[in-house]
Amino acid sequence: MYDVSARPKHRSRGAARLLLGGACALAVIVASMAVATLAQADLSGPPGTTLQAAAERSGRYFGAAMGADRLNDSGFLTIADREFDMMTAVNEMKPDATEPNRGQFDFRAGDAIYNWATQHGMRFRGHTLAWHAQQPRFWGSLSGSALRTAMIDHINGVMAHYKGKFAYWDVVNEAFAENGSRRSSNLQSTGNDWIEVAFRTARAADPSVKLCYNDYNIENWSYGKTQGVYNMIRDFKNRGVPIDCVGLQTHFTGGSSLPGNFQQTLSSFAALGVDVALTEADVTNASTSQYQGLTQACMNVPRCVGITTWGIRDSDSWRGNESPLLFDRNSNPKAAYTAVLNALNAASTTVPGTTTPPTTTPPTTTPPTTPPTEQPGACTATYRMVNSWGGGFQGEVSVTNNGSATLSGWTVRLTLAGGQTLANLWSGINTGTSGAVSVRNAEYNGTLGANASTTFGFLVNGSSDAAPGGLSCTSP
């Protein structure tokens, strides 16, 4: 198998993290919730000429990882600004960087990367909150409930600082062994529920961000580690543990390490009701066929929301001697860049909820002279407020089949109050983002047996947390 666990993870050119001394963090000029705005897909538009433009045609993103040592690298910044629309910090938001001493947080280096990215129109992925590596030094003297409390306090402290600003957070990183069992670590020794506790803590700390599990060597569907992670995600979804996405690092290390069943892996995770993303992609010698294959697999899975490469140029990579990225050391695009660009432009699926609504008014039809009779499988929709904060709220709608026949699809209609705008929606596909909004079922939750129910959730921006009005549900 393509195992990279023996490598020193994510230390670009042996980089120790760079804390910016006495430098002040840049002022944040992007409204916190703005970074979560959905891209609008339009596959009918012209092909994109950059990675971000090509990805955005299907409502996806194309991201990169950036260390604070690149903030003064004009070659890196030029490519980043032109080609990417999602950014991840390499080391600057890991536990040891953000909490060097207990209860004393240092966000200067992470903020500098975040501020640069958002000032250049990018969204952000937080990486990472809980991990067996790069832990605060004081964690090494703790165990049991004391370590568990330190983990919870760390998650709360970091997420409070970045609340409402990120699109995604890698809550837990690399918690599984190659055989599919839990990795032996000090966090695992606090109890098998530590991952669940981390996710529940993260959701309470920030209801607006998508919460992800991230790991390597989970690309091959038949591999033990992949199955171990899949079983955990399935269990979490069944029990209501808040998890929104799975990150597959996609470090490919050999001439043929792209699994033939890679797309099956992505589809299988997505079928559980989570987004999937390729979060740290790099490929030995930038194999054109492997980069093209991993991109095509993502484009073929509607809930594969985007791809991030771990660095931009080979000189930025922790595997720099293997020439694994899309740009060479002189900032020139490689053949693999063109292969990826073409695969992004060839996408035939869009991320649910990102299709551009029609600009013309649909034709009207003559209403029937007699009212239609209620069909078996009629549905009802019930709203509840999940959480609210200054400037927005999170809501959830339960859709229930109250008929005797199986429901084969549903559409919920609701009306947002004046000044409210839909910022994000999951487990459904929306048309409209203000005023009258309709939400139809996603691909995986449209079939409901008698008395069965499902839910979709959403975030709304606006000073008012007034509940949506005019709530109704219909079935085809």
Side-chain angles (χ1 to χ4, degrees):
M1 300 303 298
Y2 41 93
D3 185 359
V4 299
S5 60
R7 300 177 184 272
K9 288 282 293 165
H10 310 337
R11 291 288 188 175
S12 175
R13 300 200 310 188
R17 70 178 187 277
L18 175 64
L19 295 179
L20 298 182
C24 296
L26 298 173
V28 178
I29 65 170
V30 178
S32 60
M33 285 304 298
V35 296
T37 301
L38 292 174
Q40 289 297 315
D42 183 8
L43 293 177
S44 64
T49 58
T50 64
L51 297 173
Q52 63 167 307
E56 288 171 358
R57 293 180 73 250
S58 60
R60 295 176 170 88
Y61 65 81
F62 206 94
M66 176 181 185
D69 56 346
R70 296 299 183 259
L71 285 168
N72 295 313
D73 186 329
S74 60
F76 181 100
L77 298 179
T78 296
I79 301 173
D81 186 34
R82 183 184 72 233
E83 298 284 345
F84 300 94
D85 59 357
M86 181 75 73
M87 190 58 71
T88 305
V90 174
N91 288 303
E92 291 75 8
M93 293 182 183
K94 290 175 181 173
D96 62 341
T98 50
E99 192 182 7
N101 299 297
R102 186 161 198 166
Q104 297 178 351
F105 292 90
D106 189 339
F107 299 111
R108 289 172 295 175
D111 285 353
I113 298 172
Y114 169 79
N115 291 339
W116 185 90
T118 54
Q119 287 166 4
H120 289 79
M122 300 180 188
R123 293 186 293 164
F124 212 91
R125 185 184 188 96
H127 178 80
T128 180
L129 294 167
W131 191 23
H132 68 273
Q134 292 182 241
Q135 296 180 349
R137 184 173 299 179
F138 71 89
W139 283 18
S141 63
L142 304 177
S143 61
S145 60
L147 178 59
R148 178 72 66 88
T149 297
M151 178 194 75
I152 292 171
D153 290 345
H154 178 80
I155 293 172
N156 283 326
V158 174
M159 294 194 74
H161 180 76
Y162 291 112
K163 183 176 181 180
K165 296 180 179 180
F166 288 1
Y168 303 92
W169 255 116
D170 290 332
V171 178
V172 173
N173 195 46
E174 301 175 359
F176 277 78
E178 299 305 305
N179 63 3
S181 64
R182 293 287 185 89
R183 177 193 292 272
S184 177
S185 71
N186 59 346
L187 290 172
Q188 181 63 27
S189 295
T190 69
N192 202 55
D193 64 337
W194 76 272
I195 300 178
E196 177 177 344
V197 169
F199 274 89
R200 292 192 184 278
T201 302
R203 173 54 73 230
D206 188 346
S208 67
V209 68
K210 288 197 172 186
L211 306 178
C212 309
Y213 176 79
N214 191 58
D215 216 327
Y216 63 92
N217 283 2
I218 58 170
E219 294 84 12
N220 189 324
W221 178 241
S222 63
Y223 193 43
K225 187 175 187 179
T226 307
Q227 291 299 308
V229 173
Y230 175 85
N231 289 333
M232 180 188 73
I233 305 302
R234 180 174 60 184
D235 171 62
F236 280 9
K237 295 300 289 185
N238 287 340
R239 293 191 295 110
V241 178
I243 186 167
D244 305 304
C245 42
V246 176
L248 297 88
Q249 293 183 13
T250 324
H251 295 294
F252 290 156
T253 60
S256 59
S257 62
L258 173 66
N261 56 19
F262 183 43
Q263 184 175 320
Q264 179 184 359
T265 303
L266 298 178
S267 297
S268 297
F269 277 118
L272 296 177
V274 294
D275 292 340
V276 292
L278 315 187
T279 56
E280 304 180 20
D282 46 27
V283 179
T284 300
N285 296 322
S287 165
T288 300
S289 61
Q290 291 192 61
Y291 263 119
Q292 180 183 37
L294 68 86
T295 305
Q296 286 177 334
C298 180
M299 296 303 102
N300 290 339
V301 176
R303 292 201 68 160
C304 187
V305 294
I307 300 171
T308 292
T309 56
W310 204 250
I312 291 178
R313 308 161 302 183
D314 291 337
S315 53
D316 310 314
S317 175
W318 64 293
R319 299 170 57 194
N321 62 336
E322 299 176 42
S323 304
L325 295 176
L326 298 178
F327 294 83
D328 66 21
R329 293 175 180 272
N330 296 317
S331 299
N332 298 312
K334 303 178 183 178
Y337 170 91
T338 302
V340 169
L341 186 69
N342 290 340
L344 293 172
N345 279 317
S348 59
T349 69
T350 60
V351 176
T354 65
T355 303
T356 303
T359 56
T360 57
T361 304
T364 57
T365 56
T366 304
T369 56
T370 58
T373 58
E374 185 178 57
Q375 298 297 313
C379 55
T380 56
T382 306
Y383 168 80
R384 76 178 182 96
M385 170 76 75
V386 177
N387 207 341
S388 64
W389 54 91
F393 66 91
Q394 178 183 357
E396 182 181 85
V397 172
S398 296
V399 179
T400 302
N401 177 7
N402 53 10
S404 58
T406 297
L407 185 152
S408 59
W410 49 263
T411 299
V412 171
R413 292 175 175 81
L414 54 89
T415 302
L416 297 178
Q420 293 180 345
T421 302
L422 187 68
N424 204 347
L425 184 139
W426 52 95
S427 300
I429 302 172
N430 66 290
T431 299
T433 57
S434 62
V437 176
S438 66
V439 181
R440 63 181 174 88
N441 58 275
E443 187 176 353
Y444 53 86
N445 64 355
T447 302
L448 296 176
N451 300 314
S453 62
T454 188
T455 62
F456 67 87
F458 53 89
L459 301 177
V460 170
N461 289 340
S463 58
S464 167
D465 61 1
L471 201 66
S472 66
C473 182
T474 56
S475 174

